[in-house]
Amino acid sequence: MNHDIPLILTVVVGLGLAFVLGTIAHRFKAPPLVGYLIAGVLIGPYTPGFVADQDLANQLAELGVILLMFGVGLHFSLKDLLSVKGIAVPGAIVQMAIATGLGLGLALWLGWSLEAGLVFGLALSVASTVVLLKALQERRLIDTERGRIAVGWLIVEDLAMVLALVIIPAIGGVIATHGGEEVIGDALVAEPGQSVWVALGLTGLKVVGFVAFMLIVGRRVIPWILHYIAHTGSRELFRLAVLAIALGVALGAAQLFDVSLALGAFFAGMILAESALAHRAAEESLPLRDAFAVLFFVSVGMLFDPATLIENPLPVLGVLLIIVFGKSLAAFAIVILFGYPVGTALVISASLAQIGEFSFILAELGVGLGMLPQEGRDLILAGAILSILLNPVFFYGVDRLKLRLERRAAAAAAAAAGPLPAPQTAAERERADDEAMLRASRMTDHTVLVGYGRVGSIVGEALRKAQVPFLVIEDVDRIATELHQNGIEVIHGNAAAPAIISAANLGAAHRLIVAIPNAFEAANIVQAGRAANTGMSIVARAHSDAEVAHLRSHGADIVIMAEREVAKSILAEVLPAPAAREI
Ligand code: AMP
């Protein structure tokens, strides 16, 4: 057999091992990404046995970053991005400065030079796109205000990195290898001898040029192409068009304008977000995105030499403390200073308490230019892998802390007699809304309606007309806020999360209606509902016979299979009434 198949080997062994170890991690109630990272370490050069091609793994990982950022762009409009610039821009800059300072301090303590310390500190100051987005997606936070701030913050960091990759070689004054232009990661570094300001100015111009190009040309051409393809009716071509646009714009951005692939993909998505086809485009890119995101974690694992942990325990600990506590405390303080609620500050700091791909690119660049000692790169890698592993734990801690703070706030609000003063600033209003939407309900004998989309909104409207007391649990910010404004009691969040479902006072409820399309989440909600109240009736929505059985086995009394009801309605139109009723 021909063994010269490194790409196939890397993909197959990477995905295969990640699958096995991810499943094992899941079995032990750990996040699957722990398994993906360990899979990477196992096929990396520092452990015995098969060694995958690192270069190929990095490129595959980059595809994951592109598709992820494209997906985020699809959820984002320019308006969203501008609406968070007030906090994201100063927040990211100040936080990066603090983290760089901390890293510099550690580097000086280790006896490195000032420039080594600066590169090292900068590498510790930027969070990984993939890790952040995965965490937000898992918690369904992308569409919330805190999610938008976190993503805006990330975009600013990304832009700062584009600049840093230009400035550092200019400061270093030497170009590592071949001379001339050298592509490192996905960014272009400066020409030798170029002054810092010229390099900076050129980069700034290119970024502006790219953004202007996307807003003027991209905004017209991209939606037009997709609409055209959508009208051909070919699902296959539509899928292909989405992929070609995401990858094509990302590559074009990197090649022509020297901005990062991730930023290019983000803009491609953002331009599409304004078109009605955004939702379908997002769905079509999902499966590939998930597969390549897994390869990202595998490729990170491959870089890691477990021996560093034993050889340099103290510096590793220092790096980890800076990433996990230094950065997140700084972010927390900034968000609070800007008048945002504690919950928002906690989510932002948890999102940023890790480092990843950008840090590796910087570390490689620093070592290549002779500015950073090898040891620095090893520490950055160790810090990245440990902080990525710890990130889910950190989020878990933040969720618990948030719950406690909210309970305390609710108790304090209940204890305070008299009407609350009218909220004044936007931040105060948002905080009041947030708290109102999360406080445990005091309703009794009520109906709890989970999901207020196509199905739930019709049910809710009818309940309101019939004056049946009900409350809604809804995940999407916009819908929850609207309901709240219309005077309907709403709990904002994912009903599958124990903290959210327990706020609905199910123990005293009369009925639970689960009107969401995802049967796995629905089953968790039904189960929690049943555990809280054995007597109430539970109605759930399903889309297949298997889902009906699954929901019943978790405690639902009545499960409506949506497609069957559609079929019945169609038959009622085409057959005489008695025949249609037999179905
Ligand atoms: P549709 O499929 O149009 O009826 O929409 C379902 C609605 O349920 C959407 O508005 C979702 O945001 C919402 N939803 C889906 N899953 C959850 C969940 N686990 N918790 C709360 N709301 C949800």
Side-chain angles (χ1 to χ4, degrees):
M1 200 188 105
N2 182 3
H3 283 284
D4 197 17
I5 45 171
L7 178 64
I8 297 178
L9 274 178
T10 308
V11 174
V12 175
V13 179
L15 285 182
L17 209 56
F19 159 63
V20 173
L21 292 172
T23 311
I24 295 176
H26 184 75
R27 184 81 194 76
F28 288 99
K29 301 214 179 315
L33 74 85
V34 174
Y36 310 156
L37 286 171
I38 297 174
V41 177
L42 291 183
I43 60 171
Y46 302 104
T47 47
F50 172 75
V51 176
D53 188 321
Q54 180 78 57
D55 251 6
L56 285 176
N58 286 349
Q59 289 188 40
L60 292 166
E62 197 68 58
L63 282 176
V65 177
I66 294 177
L67 292 173
L68 265 162
M69 283 303 269
F70 177 68
V72 176
L74 281 173
H75 285 275
F76 238 80
S77 67
L78 198 59
K79 205 171 95 244
D80 288 338
L81 191 60
L82 292 177
S83 75
V84 297
K85 72 172 186 310
I87 167 92
V89 174
I93 292 175
V94 174
Q95 188 236 12
M96 284 180 83
I98 294 176
T100 306
L102 290 172
L104 176 65
L106 179 65
L108 293 180
W109 178 70
L110 289 171
W112 301 350
S113 67
L114 182 70
E115 50 182 29
L118 282 175
V119 176
F120 186 64
L122 210 53
L124 299 188
S125 74
V126 282
S128 154
T129 315
V130 185
V131 180
L132 185 142
L133 295 181
K134 273 226 130 196
L136 292 180
Q137 266 159 8
E138 263 162 32
R139 287 165 190 79
R140 302 167 140 270
L141 283 170
I142 295 260
D143 278 329
T144 64
E145 154 109 305
R146 36 207 99 155
R148 277 196 289 274
I149 297 178
V151 174
W153 196 298
L154 191 88
I155 304 285
V156 179
E157 283 195 0
D158 193 345
L159 283 172
M161 281 312 287
V162 174
L163 292 184
L165 291 174
V166 177
I167 304 174
I168 290 172
I171 294 177
V174 223
I175 279 294
T177 29
H178 330 296
E181 285 186 339
E182 160 89 357
V183 179
I184 296 190
D186 55 9
L188 230 57
V189 301
E191 303 264 349
Q194 232 175 31
S195 93
V196 179
W197 296 114
V198 174
L200 255 183
L202 275 178
T203 308
L205 270 182
K206 284 174 182 165
V207 171
V208 172
F210 169 67
V211 174
F213 179 79
M214 286 307 279
L215 290 183
I216 297 166
V217 181
R219 203 179 199 165
R220 296 202 171 87
V221 176
I222 295 177
W224 180 83
I225 298 178
L226 271 196
H227 278 281
Y228 176 79
I229 298 299
H231 284 218
T232 62
S234 161
R235 195 189 176 90
E236 186 180 310
L237 275 183
F238 185 78
R239 204 172 274 171
L240 195 59
V242 170
L243 266 184
I245 290 172
L247 300 178
V249 174
L251 189 66
Q255 295 291 326
L256 301 176
F257 295 97
D258 293 352
V259 300
S260 67
L261 289 164
L263 206 66
F266 174 79
F267 266 92
M270 207 171 76
I271 297 254
L272 268 183
E274 292 169 15
S275 131
L277 290 166
H279 190 66
R280 243 188 95 193
E283 267 171 20
E284 300 296 350
S285 56
L286 267 180
L288 264 185
R289 184 190 77 185
D290 288 349
F292 284 108
V294 168
L295 288 176
F296 167 81
F297 289 105
V298 173
S299 78
V300 174
M302 285 179 66
L303 293 170
F304 184 57
D305 180 3
T308 320
L309 292 182
I310 305 157
E311 285 159 12
N312 280 324
L314 266 188
V316 169
L317 189 67
V319 168
L320 196 61
L321 288 179
I322 292 178
I323 301 170
V324 177
F325 291 109
K327 274 174 65 168
S328 51
L329 283 179
F332 183 82
I334 298 164
V335 179
I336 291 286
L337 273 180
F338 271 76
Y340 281 88
V342 176
T344 306
L346 283 173
V347 167
I348 309 274
S349 34
S351 313
L352 297 168
Q354 37 83 11
I355 59 170
E357 65 275 21
F358 285 133
S359 317
F360 309 147
I361 297 174
L362 262 188
E364 281 304 322
L365 179 66
V367 172
L369 292 170
M371 291 168 82
L372 186 72
Q374 286 278 352
E375 194 193 346
R377 182 179 53 193
D378 292 343
L379 285 181
I380 289 171
L381 283 175
I385 209 155
L386 292 176
S387 67
I388 293 176
L389 282 175
L390 281 178
N391 200 245
V393 182
F394 203 67
F395 257 104
Y396 178 77
V398 157
D399 284 345
R400 313 281 321 165
L401 190 64
K402 195 161 154 255
L403 200 66
R404 273 184 45 193
L405 289 174
E406 269 150 14
R407 286 224 183 96
R408 203 181 302 161
L420 288 171
Q424 273 145 14
T425 65
E428 272 170 359
R429 228 175 306 130
E430 185 215 306
R431 185 179 317 167
D433 279 356
D434 243 32
E435 277 167 9
M437 283 196 246
L438 265 158
R439 204 176 293 145
S441 172
R442 298 207 183 90
M443 274 188 163
T444 52
D445 212 23
H446 54 304
T447 294
V448 175
L449 174 58
V450 179
Y452 209 79
R454 289 162 302 181
V455 175
S457 59
I458 298 175
V459 175
E461 192 53 32
L463 290 178
R464 198 178 57 82
K465 284 206 179 112
Q467 300 195 329
V468 175
F470 72 104
L471 72 82
V472 176
I473 306 182
E474 173 56 61
D475 206 16
V476 170
D477 230 11
R478 183 180 43 79
I479 303 179
T481 313
E482 245 168 52
L483 286 169
H484 181 61
Q485 282 163 355
N486 291 338
I488 294 175
E489 184 164 336
V490 56
I491 299 169
H492 177 209
N494 182 351
I500 300 291
I501 191 84
S502 65
N505 198 14
L506 280 172
H510 171 63
R511 175 176 287 122
L512 169 65
I513 304 175
V514 186
I516 63 172
N518 181 330
F520 284 104
E521 270 183 6
N524 287 339
I525 299 166
V526 167
Q527 194 172 26
R530 192 42 88 216
N533 186 334
T534 45
M536 81 179 156
S537 96
I538 302 184
V539 184
R541 156 184 173 188
H543 294 276
S544 69
D545 290 337
E547 289 181 4
V548 173
H550 185 62
L551 286 162
R552 283 242 172 82
S553 73
H554 280 74
D557 300 303
I558 302 169
V559 184
I560 310 292
M561 214 279 256
E563 280 69 12
R564 172 176 280 270
E565 298 308 312
V566 175
K568 273 191 191 165
S569 300
I570 293 176
L571 287 174
E573 295 290 333
V574 297
L575 286 184
R581 235 176 284 128
E582 274 169 30
I583 306 302

